[in-house]
Amino acid sequence: NRTIDMDAENWTITDEHMQTYPQAYTIEYSGYKPKEVAITFDDGPDPTWTPKILDILKAKQVNATFMMIGAEAENNISLMKRVVAEGNEIGNHTWSHPDISEIPRRQLELVELNLTERLFASKLGIRPLFFRPPYSIDQEPDTNDQAAPAYFIQNMGYTIIGNKIDTDDWDERQRKSPQRISQDVLDQLQIMKTKPQFRGSIILLHDGGGDRSVTIAALPVLIDTLRAHGYKIVQVSDLMGKTRAEVMPALKPRERWQARVDSVAFFVYAFFTHFVVMVFFLGDVLMSARLLLVGLFALIDRLRKRSAPASAGSFHPAVAVLIPSYNEEKVIVRTIRSVLNSDYHNLRVIVIDDGSQDRTYEAAREAYPQEIKAGILTVFRKENAGKAEALNYAVNELREAFYVGIDADTVIAPDAISRLIAHFADPRIGAVAGNAKVGNRVNLWTRWQALEYITSQNFERRALDLFKVVTVVPGAIGAWRTDAVLHGGGYPVNTVAEDADLTMNLLEQGYDVVYEDRALAFTEAPSTARGLMRQRFRWSFGTLQAVYKHQRAFLKNKAMGFFALPNILIFQILLPLVSPFIDLMFLAGFANYLLDRHFHPEAASASNFEKLLTYFLAFLVIDFVTSALAFSLERRHPANKGDGWLLFHIWLQRFAYRQLFSLVLFKTVKRAIDGRPFNWDKLERTAAMSSQAERIAAS
């Protein structure tokens, strides 16, 4: 509003006077009553401090108003209900405690206000109308940027609650005594008598956001002091001339169904959040303990001296080498050559062509006509029926007491068979697992599998070898006692991990199954993520079948029951199924800490994040140390040269594998539930091998 002076002769403006300066907003305050005060609490509810405050209020027969952060209230539903049940009022203090002048309007409306309001509605059946902006900025705005959110919030139907009397109990840098806080409140009330611009009847305290021991100590003293000076402690609604029901109206009938749906949604969200936290800490502890235990057992197994049977030196029985094949034209000749180069001479090689659609049968026969003529090599052809049937076809015709099974894509070391067969001098040995390595380290996926074979599969076999209960003799390389296999019914055709099934069969018969780490074999691993998932789906599903099928083996053998079975069920199935939550929890915790530091720096606590980081880093360090131990336990061999560089992939590989194997196990559980059949899923061969493996094959 302005006035102007005009020149009457030429009608020009000669001067102006601003009666009222232009303002975008006008701020009005109400509710001050000289001898009445209302106590309010911000930043709760907190499971430590809020119950103590409620106890004090109840003992002093005082009701207060609690301005709740939605995220905190969602974590403490029962405490929020107690606040209301004891006659106190509540208000909206946003969902995550941001500076509302610095966030987008949509975030303010949908997340900070509506989400908190819907929590109150769903859990309490009311819609509180009080709102207090975090940091006390926007309730007494100085700029348009600060006033705009307040105007927007007011238009949404909220009443913005100020806090003219600030106790500074939140400031942990200056720990005030209860008497000092009470005196500060009285001083501020006294100033109001002479300076109207400071008038107010609302006292600010805090029940969350940090250490509130000062508040707990000061509250009873403050209440007594106020009463002693003639002040009446009322609710905020009393200062407004309204009832409690008017400032916290109950839901209308048509709103109740929406509230029920919201209540379920909040329950699911809370369950998921707490479940993730539980999985993170429990999984972290269990996996770390397992790594340490497996590492200890593997180390003992590697260092212990084995007592060889008296007949071991003269033990050279006839041995068959079985190579089941299906469409292996690219690799079959190389595999046969590596077996024929063995330093164990009393052996016969048997190739079983399981109805291949390529020239596998012809390639095997054409490459070694002299060996076939001499009876050293036999090549069978049969109709396609799967790997188990192909092996059974040969096992039922064996005249040898022992045989070695290898995959058609595998190259074995010259002394591998000798190493394996020597164990059978002990009549208690039913099968021997060899040391399978990835031979085609041609890309990141195959290098990661090479790392996995050393740090997981073979490392576990070392630990299980200590108790002679190796649960899986790999198809890539393993030796078997023929009579034991035949007595167990041969390779099972009703499971898809026939090697694991047959191994557990022998353990159930009472045989020992051991690991020979010097019997090296180099196999072709899947070179793509899709191929790896297909292979591991078959392995995990087949292992699940075998465990269910051979339950008695785990009951009869204590080592299997106490070590092998939990290792399979917990660490190969259950924890990998939910292991992505560990990464999710860490990322969520890190993001939450950054948000707290940004939006609520004075109350952001680093302790929870530090605890999270400590657990996570401890697991990573333990994993790295035990993985390094696994590498150190590997025998020195030219083919192992350069393996140490794989350790630098460990953390990236673990992260990627957790996500991939979780998908595989979800698929496994789904298939187990729906009961659909599963066929032997053979991978396409590439015939690629690393230089070390190629040298062994060509030697």
Side-chain angles (χ1 to χ4, degrees):
N1 187 334
R2 66 181 175 175
T3 61
I4 57 175
D5 296 334
M6 305 272 306
D7 186 330
E9 293 183 0
N10 55 19
W11 295 96
T12 58
I13 298 173
T14 60
D15 201 359
E16 71 170 347
H17 307 279
M18 299 297 299
Q19 305 298 321
T20 305
Y21 285 98
Q23 294 178 342
Y25 302 96
T26 300
I27 311 300
E28 295 180 353
Y29 300 96
S30 62
Y32 169 68
K33 294 185 179 180
K35 278 296 182 177
E36 294 184 6
V37 292
I39 298 176
T40 63
F41 295 91
D42 279 10
D43 297 351
D46 183 277
T48 301
W49 310 113
T50 305
K52 296 178 180 180
I53 289 172
L54 290 173
D55 291 341
I56 295 171
L57 294 175
K58 189 174 182 180
K60 296 292 184 179
Q61 297 183 338
V62 171
N63 289 122
T65 300
F66 291 79
M67 299 298 181
M68 296 187 175
I69 296 175
E72 297 299 327
E74 193 271 335
N75 286 329
N76 300 279
I77 298 296
S78 61
L79 190 52
M80 177 178 65
K81 290 180 177 180
R82 180 187 169 187
V83 170
V84 175
E86 294 186 0
N88 301 287
E89 296 173 348
I90 65 171
N92 191 328
H93 197 43
T94 71
W95 182 266
S96 61
H97 205 275
D99 180 346
I100 62 174
S101 64
E102 296 183 355
I103 63 175
R105 181 69 58 85
R106 295 293 289 171
Q107 179 185 342
L108 172 61
E109 179 183 7
L110 297 179
V111 178
E112 304 302 336
L113 295 173
N114 283 354
L115 189 60
T116 308
E117 179 182 318
R118 291 174 76 164
L119 175 69
F120 294 153
S122 65
K123 300 301 181 181
L124 301 173
I126 58 175
R127 291 189 184 276
L129 301 181
F130 293 160
F131 176 79
R132 174 174 285 161
Y135 308 110
S136 303
I137 295 174
D138 307 281
Q139 65 204 30
E140 295 189 17
D142 297 317
T143 65
N144 287 346
D145 288 344
Q146 294 173 355
Y151 180 67
F152 174 73
I153 291 165
Q154 177 180 282
N155 287 338
M156 290 180 65
Y158 289 99
T159 298
I160 298 177
I161 307 301
N163 54 347
K164 283 289 187 178
I165 308 170
D166 193 346
T167 61
D168 290 328
D169 67 326
W170 55 269
D171 193 347
E172 297 183 9
R173 292 170 298 180
Q174 49 175 352
R175 309 287 291 183
K176 292 184 178 181
S177 67
Q179 291 73 22
R180 173 68 185 278
I181 288 177
S182 298
Q183 187 59 50
D184 284 351
V185 170
L186 291 177
D187 291 344
Q188 292 178 65
L189 289 169
Q190 187 65 31
I191 291 174
M192 293 176 188
K193 295 178 180 180
T194 58
K195 296 183 178 181
Q197 68 269 29
F198 294 113
R199 285 178 179 174
S201 296
I202 296 178
I203 300 172
L204 174 63
L205 293 165
H206 293 78
D207 67 324
D211 182 355
R212 297 300 172 233
S213 56
V214 170
T215 307
I216 301 300
L219 182 58
V221 177
L222 176 61
I223 292 172
D224 292 341
T225 302
L226 289 169
R227 284 173 169 169
H229 285 77
Y231 287 92
K232 181 181 178 181
I233 301 175
V234 299
Q235 300 255 56
V236 172
S237 58
D238 296 320
L239 298 176
M240 298 171 62
K242 294 182 179 293
T243 65
R244 185 169 178 265
E246 287 177 309
V247 298
M248 296 193 305
L251 297 181
K252 298 174 182 178
R254 60 185 175 81
E255 296 175 323
R256 290 171 186 164
W257 277 108
Q258 177 66 53
R260 292 189 183 101
V261 173
D262 288 345
S263 181
V264 173
F266 280 115
F267 172 79
V268 172
Y269 172 78
F271 174 81
F272 176 78
T273 303
H274 289 92
F275 175 72
V276 168
V277 173
M278 179 191 69
V279 167
F280 176 82
F281 288 109
L282 182 61
D284 209 22
V285 170
L286 286 177
M287 287 192 292
S288 298
R290 171 186 173 271
L291 286 172
L292 293 173
L293 196 62
V294 169
L296 176 63
F297 290 161
L299 182 62
I300 294 173
D301 180 72
R302 176 68 170 79
L303 298 178
R304 68 185 174 122
K305 292 183 179 180
R306 303 172 187 263
S307 54
S311 58
S314 58
F315 186 75
H316 299 290
V319 174
V321 180
L322 307 187
I323 309 175
S325 309
Y326 177 70
N327 292 344
E328 307 285 6
E329 179 184 359
K330 294 180 181 179
V331 296
I332 190 64
V333 173
R334 182 183 63 194
T335 300
I336 296 172
R337 181 170 66 244
S338 73
V339 177
L340 293 175
N341 287 337
S342 174
D343 62 6
Y344 194 91
H345 301 296
N346 193 11
L347 60 80
R348 179 168 62 115
V349 184
I350 302 175
V351 177
I352 311 100
D353 178 18
D354 188 41
S356 297
Q357 298 175 357
D358 62 3
R359 297 186 70 259
T360 299
Y361 178 79
E362 291 80 4
R365 293 185 61 85
E366 291 170 3
Y368 300 103
Q370 297 300 322
E371 286 76 3
I372 292 175
K373 185 176 181 180
I376 300 173
L377 173 64
T378 303
V379 183
F380 291 122
R381 173 184 279 173
K382 60 179 289 295
E383 292 184 2
N384 180 257
K387 182 180 179 181
E389 288 285 20
L391 287 165
N392 286 334
Y393 182 85
V395 170
N396 289 324
E397 302 297 326
L398 287 182
R399 56 180 181 268
E400 291 85 359
F402 309 98
Y403 71 91
V404 175
I406 67 172
D407 289 336
D409 64 333
T410 300
V411 172
I412 66 172
D415 61 347
I417 296 175
S418 301
R419 300 287 189 185
L420 293 170
I421 298 302
H423 289 272
F424 290 111
D426 183 346
R428 295 169 298 182
I429 301 296
V432 185
N435 188 342
K437 291 180 171 292
V438 174
N440 59 325
R441 302 179 191 181
V442 294
N443 61 18
L444 194 61
W445 285 109
T446 53
R447 290 188 184 96
W448 283 355
Q449 289 171 81
L451 176 62
E452 179 204 7
Y453 275 43
I454 296 171
T455 61
S456 297
Q457 297 183 26
N458 291 335
F459 198 44
E460 286 179 14
R461 287 193 182 103
R462 289 186 190 279
L464 293 169
D465 180 63
L466 185 63
F467 306 102
K468 300 181 181 180
V469 290
V470 174
T471 52
V472 180
V473 173
I477 181 167
W480 306 83
R481 189 178 293 272
T482 307
D483 288 345
V485 172
L486 291 172
H487 185 267
Y491 286 87
V493 296
N494 56 354
T495 57
V496 295
E498 64 285 329
D499 304 316
D501 194 338
L502 183 58
T503 304
M504 293 180 194
N505 185 315
L506 266 60
L507 289 167
E508 192 172 353
Q509 292 183 49
Y511 284 101
D512 293 337
V513 179
V514 297
Y515 171 56
E516 176 51 70
D517 65 333
R518 295 170 296 179
L520 300 180
F522 298 87
T523 187
E524 184 176 328
S527 57
T528 64
R530 183 173 179 272
L532 178 60
M533 290 182 69
R534 286 168 56 196
Q535 181 196 65
R536 298 313 166 87
F537 178 38
R538 180 174 65 83
W539 286 9
S540 61
F541 188 78
T543 300
L544 197 62
Q545 287 178 311
V547 169
Y548 181 79
K549 185 176 177 181
H550 298 286
Q551 300 172 51
R552 289 182 297 176
F554 294 96
L555 296 175
K556 290 169 60 177
N557 190 305
K558 292 182 179 179
M560 288 188 68
F562 285 107
F563 186 63
L565 181 61
N567 183 62
I568 293 172
L569 293 181
I570 297 175
F571 299 105
Q572 293 183 21
I573 297 176
L574 293 180
L575 277 181
L577 194 64
V578 296
S579 61
F581 292 132
I582 294 177
D583 299 314
L584 180 64
M585 176 60 191
F586 178 75
L587 294 175
F590 182 65
N592 184 65
Y593 176 69
L594 293 180
L595 288 173
D596 278 351
R597 290 283 297 174
H598 178 73
F599 290 124
H600 201 177
E602 81 288 345
S605 172
S607 60
N608 288 337
F609 177 68
E610 289 171 356
K611 181 180 178 182
L612 187 76
L613 187 63
T614 299
Y615 273 74
F616 195 73
L617 291 179
F619 170 71
L620 292 180
V621 170
I622 291 172
D623 189 21
F624 184 84
V625 170
T626 53
S627 297
L629 175 63
F631 273 87
S632 68
L633 296 181
E634 289 288 303
R635 305 281 183 177
R636 291 188 177 182
H637 190 279
N640 295 337
K641 188 177 181 180
D643 277 357
W645 288 103
L646 294 173
L647 267 176
F648 290 95
H649 293 258
I650 189 73
W651 291 321
L652 182 60
Q653 182 248 25
R654 295 291 200 256
F655 177 80
Y657 263 43
R658 281 196 292 270
Q659 322 315 315
L660 185 141
F661 285 177
S662 179
L663 292 175
V664 169
L665 285 164
F666 271 116
K667 186 178 177 182
T668 299
V669 172
K670 181 179 180 297
R671 180 64 65 88
I673 293 172
D674 63 33
R676 288 190 293 128
F678 189 107
N679 297 321
W680 183 27
D681 188 15
K682 181 188 174 298
L683 299 172
E684 183 68 26
R685 303 301 183 200
T686 65
M689 279 282 176
S690 62
S691 57
Q692 296 97 324
E694 287 287 6
R695 283 196 294 271
I696 291 174
S699 60

